[in-house]
Amino acid sequence: MTETADDLSAPLGQDKPRRKRRLRLPFTAMQALAVMLGLFLVAFAGFAIFNKDPFGGEPMTRIAIRDPKAADEKPAAAGHGLDSKQEGKHDTKETPKQAGEQKTVTMIDGSTGTRHDVVIGGGDAADKGEAASAPPPVMAGIDPKLLEKSRYGMIPVVAEGLKPFNVYAADADRAKAAKMPVVAILIGGLGVGAAKTTDAIMRLPPAVTLAFTPYGSDPGKLAERARAQRHEIFLQIPMEPYDFPDNDPGPQTLLTSLSADQNMDRLYWHLSRMQGYAGITNFMGARFIATDAAMQPIIREAAKRGLGFFDDGSSPRSIAPQAAASQAMPFGKGDIAIDVVPTPAEIDRALNKLEAAARERGAAIGTASALPVSIERIGAWTKTLGDRGILLVPLTTAMLKSKSS
């Protein structure tokens, strides 16, 4: 046995303590953690690459669909349903149940805004692909000759030389309007919120025109009340803004990404929500109203049905004036948005500008929403307008005067 110097100098009779061997791994703990993380990333990347689901990561909902023909026999088997991820959707909106337990679920694609209506449940409407909700009832005081049935309900039509624009225009002294400056005001966003809508109907003079959205639990009933108070009404059509879908006007919005037939079908849905309107106007829609290929078919259809078109003036690139002129249809455009800054002082300032524009051009049109402050200031302003030599007229009267001048 080989002895070292330490062994020779060690005291006799004492054994040298043996060192315990320590087990050493071929890698450190940090190296092991890095290897495990690397393996996880490789596995995740492989799944993402080779998994053929184009909507991977999208929120998903499963909706059980019952075969209408087998609805009375037994419920749909478990495990069979509609995967909204396969339809490329981001979220779902569901309408209330209708007769026969029939529902329509609207699937919305968050990247394109495309909506797909899926009818769920049994009944004849589902078999025929019709809308789940019952058609809105025809309002009082509506000429039945000026209505035509669509798959969604009754929509306006020209009959016996009569046009809805002329028949449903509010009464006005047209002879007087031709001789003096006139202003018209359109209050929009009505029909959703019965309290604010009723406030506008009752507190504003009849010459103020009211524009209704197609939404709300019963917009037709509120529109009927507005007409009973001698207000002229217009229908707002939701159209695509530039920041859609982050800024979404609502269900059945007209989109530049849809075909003309698809947008026409959506237009019919909006037109059927109520009756008695003299024309239509855009609700938002800066992109849509500036896109010729999308806007032209809508203008042609509105003109064919005897309606006027009002451009709220929010899009400087709107092609609506040229499109309406090509159809020889009544047209108007908003000059001043009255309550962009909803304070009494700023609203009064905007109304003074509207008055000045009327004196300069002979006619001017202002737009506003149904904010309490807007209704209060507009109501007060209209009471003394005649004393200043300016006539407040319905929107249709201002549109006709602008066209003739």
Side-chain angles (χ1 to χ4, degrees), residues 3 18 20 24 123-124 184 198-199 216 224 229 236 244 256 261 284 299 316 343-344 355 374 403:
E3 295 181 347
R18 295 181 179 180
K20 294 182 179 181
R24 293 188 176 183
D124 295 338
T198 302
D199 201 33
E224 187 176 70
Q229 294 296 319
Q236 290 182 291
F244 183 87
T256 57
D261 288 342
M284 300 172 61
I299 291 291
T343 63
E355 191 173 324
S374 303
K403 185 176 181 180

Side-chain angles (χ1 to χ4, degrees), residues 156-158 162-166 277-279 301-308 330:
V157 68
V158 175
L162 298 176
K163 296 182 178 181
F165 180 85
N166 303 118
Y277 44 87
E301 186 68 16
K304 184 181 75 173
R305 297 190 173 278
L307 300 170

Side-chain angles (χ1 to χ4, degrees), residues 139-404:
M139 293 160 41
I142 302 303
D143 189 341
K145 295 193 300 293
L146 300 180
L147 293 176
E148 177 181 76
K149 187 176 181 181
S150 74
R151 65 188 292 249
Y152 298 112
M154 306 304 286
I155 60 178
V157 68
V158 175
E160 300 178 3
L162 298 176
K163 296 182 178 181
F165 180 85
N166 303 118
V167 173
Y168 301 128
D171 293 335
D173 190 340
R174 302 269 173 94
K176 189 176 180 180
K179 299 176 182 178
M180 60 187 300
V182 301
V183 294
I185 294 179
L186 180 76
I187 305 294
L190 302 177
V192 177
K196 72 172 184 179
T197 300
T198 302
D199 201 33
I201 292 171
M202 303 307 296
R203 293 185 59 190
L204 293 171
V208 173
T209 300
L210 306 180
F212 287 77
T213 70
Y215 309 128
S217 59
D218 194 354
K221 184 176 181 180
L222 292 169
E224 187 176 70
R225 185 173 183 181
R227 296 189 70 247
Q229 294 296 319
R230 297 183 293 117
H231 287 284
E232 179 177 273
I233 67 171
F234 269 58
L235 175 66
Q236 290 182 291
I237 305 296
M239 298 179 180
E240 179 184 358
Y242 279 108
D243 52 352
F244 183 87
D246 293 332
N247 194 9
D248 189 348
Q252 304 289 345
T253 293
L254 306 190
L255 302 173
T256 57
S257 59
L258 298 181
S259 68
D261 288 342
Q262 289 172 311
N263 278 324
M264 200 63 62
D265 186 72
R266 293 186 173 203
L267 176 66
Y268 288 171
W269 185 87
H270 295 301
L271 295 178
S272 71
R273 296 303 91 189
M274 64 186 73
Q275 304 88 34
Y277 44 87
I280 62 175
T281 178
N282 59 299
F283 178 55
M284 300 172 61
R287 180 190 294 275
F288 193 91
I289 205 170
T291 305
D292 188 81
M295 192 64 185
Q296 287 283 2
I298 302 302
I299 291 291
R300 285 196 299 269
E301 186 68 16
K304 184 181 75 173
R305 297 190 173 278
L307 300 170
F309 187 84
F310 177 72
D311 180 342
D312 69 3
S314 60
S315 176
R317 291 187 284 179
S318 172
I319 61 94
Q322 299 90 333
S326 68
Q327 300 297 317
M329 72 184 301
F331 175 81
K333 187 172 183 178
D335 296 300
I336 294 176
I338 295 169
D339 55 0
V340 174
V341 181
T343 63
E346 290 301 318
I347 291 173
D348 289 347
R349 186 174 289 111
L351 291 170
N352 289 334
K353 290 181 180 179
L354 184 66
E355 191 173 324
R359 295 184 191 279
E360 180 182 348
R361 298 197 296 266
I365 302 172
T367 59
S369 57
L371 296 171
V373 65
S374 303
I375 294 174
E376 191 274 326
R377 295 315 305 155
I378 292 171
W381 177 76
T382 58
K383 290 178 181 178
T384 60
L385 190 60
D387 298 336
R388 297 191 296 276
I390 296 180
L391 183 65
L392 178 68
V393 297
L395 178 58
T396 53
T397 301
M399 291 168 67
L400 292 173
K401 180 168 183 175
S402 299
K403 185 176 181 180
S404 62

